[in-house]
Amino acid sequence: MIGKSPLSPLCQRGALFLPFQMGGQEGVPLKVCEIFTSIQGESTHAGMLCTFIRLSACNLRCSYCDTRYAYYEGFDLTEDDIVDRVRQAGIPLVEITGGEPLLQTGVYSLTTRLLEEGYRVLLETNGSMSIKELDKRTVVILDLKTPGSGMSDRMDLTNLEIIKHSDEIKFVLTGRDDYDWTKEMIRAHDLTDRCTVLLSPTFGALQPEDLAAWMIQDRIEVRLNLQLHKYIFGPERRGA
């Protein structure tokens, strides 16, 4: 029988059905979808070797989600188990992702543990949950959802008040409407002066050439963010 463990307030409000426990209490494992080493495909670290820790479960259902298998698939690993696997991989760059990693309260301890062991830790989060409790040494990649995702009304915009200069905000765009919305968000919150801003075309929906042309025309000071791993390994391959 699967026991209970602490859920985030979002889960406790009934916003999400989870068929398994969330890690956090001492001795309670985290639910992990997969751990693998590959080429980092996104962010300012694109092209570098990286070990990925993909935690299970997500509270959002984005229209373009490419990791739906992480909604429910997963296996239990303790923090020690996860750290051992990262050590075995032997790569100094680690990304914790999901799903939505902040749903599992054990992620905070895991992140600090990895940082204390000397790893550079990226944490990608979907923008719906507060990042304020994360270890400040963590590089947060905040995936701020655009209207085309169907989830833009679920964003916790207080995160924009505490974003660090070392963090990155990513906007995944499905078309011109998302681009125009994103430009207004960048302007309204002065984002380009506060952190790195990434614009990512939805793979197979928005052509990178079109997005690049809009950026050039508008002289917008952001970074074009392509999913490099999909161009290398193909869009359907897991663990890449």
Side-chain angles (χ1 to χ4, degrees):
M1 179 178 178
I2 295 177
K4 295 181 179 179
S5 63
L7 298 182
S8 72
L10 186 62
C11 297
Q12 293 171 347
R13 290 200 301 268
L16 168 71
F17 170 73
L18 294 175
F20 43 69
Q21 63 192 357
M22 295 282 92
Q25 290 177 330
E26 184 177 354
V28 175
L30 287 94
K31 187 67 67 172
V32 178
C33 180
E34 56 188 353
I35 299 177
F36 60 95
T37 297
S38 186
I39 299 295
Q40 173 61 260
E42 302 188 69
S43 80
T44 59
H45 296 80
M48 299 178 65
L49 287 174
C50 182
T51 296
F52 294 84
I53 304 166
R54 187 183 305 283
L55 299 183
S56 302
C58 190
N59 57 316
L60 301 184
R61 294 294 183 266
C62 297
S63 62
Y64 48 70
C65 181
D66 56 4
T67 54
R68 288 184 171 88
Y69 59 88
Y71 293 168
Y72 304 111
E73 292 183 20
F75 52 94
D76 291 341
L77 286 178
T78 66
E79 182 180 295
D80 286 343
D81 293 333
I82 296 171
V83 173
D84 282 346
R85 294 196 181 198
V86 172
R87 288 176 185 149
Q88 290 168 20
I91 304 299
L93 181 64
V94 177
E95 177 171 318
I96 303 173
T97 184
E100 173 45 55
L102 297 183
L103 288 172
Q104 303 198 45
T105 54
V107 74
Y108 301 100
S109 173
L110 173 63
T111 301
T112 296
R113 171 95 172 266
L114 291 168
L115 288 163
E116 290 295 331
E117 294 210 4
Y119 295 98
R120 181 166 179 78
V121 179
L122 317 178
L123 185 139
E124 183 162 357
T125 177
N126 66 23
S128 69
M129 304 186 68
S130 176
I131 60 174
K132 66 181 179 180
E133 299 301 327
L134 280 168
D135 192 304
K136 297 302 183 286
R137 295 170 293 176
T138 309
V139 177
V140 175
I141 302 173
L142 187 69
D143 189 349
L144 200 62
K145 303 303 182 185
T146 59
S149 72
M151 295 286 125
S152 60
D153 62 338
R154 300 281 295 276
M155 296 297 94
D156 182 352
L157 296 183
T158 64
N159 285 326
L160 301 184
E161 301 169 8
I162 56 176
I163 201 80
K164 309 186 302 296
H165 190 263
S166 59
D167 295 333
E168 305 179 13
I169 296 179
K170 179 176 74 171
F171 295 90
V172 178
L173 312 179
T174 62
R176 181 72 200 207
D177 288 345
D178 279 350
Y179 175 75
D180 291 337
W181 180 90
T182 296
K183 283 198 304 178
E184 176 57 26
M185 287 292 292
I186 292 170
R187 185 203 62 76
H189 297 279
D190 197 24
L191 296 182
T192 53
D193 287 337
R194 300 173 56 206
C195 65
T196 298
V197 177
L198 312 167
L199 300 192
S200 182
T202 300
F203 192 87
L206 174 59
Q207 293 302 311
E209 181 181 3
D210 292 335
L211 176 54
W214 301 337
M215 291 168 57
I216 294 167
Q217 180 179 14
D218 292 338
R219 299 295 196 265
I220 187 169
E221 295 183 18
V222 298
R223 185 182 183 116
L224 180 62
N225 180 74
L226 301 180
Q227 293 179 297
L228 184 61
H229 52 290
K230 292 186 177 180
Y231 289 92
I232 298 171
F233 303 111
E236 304 301 326
R237 180 170 167 181
R238 289 178 54 166

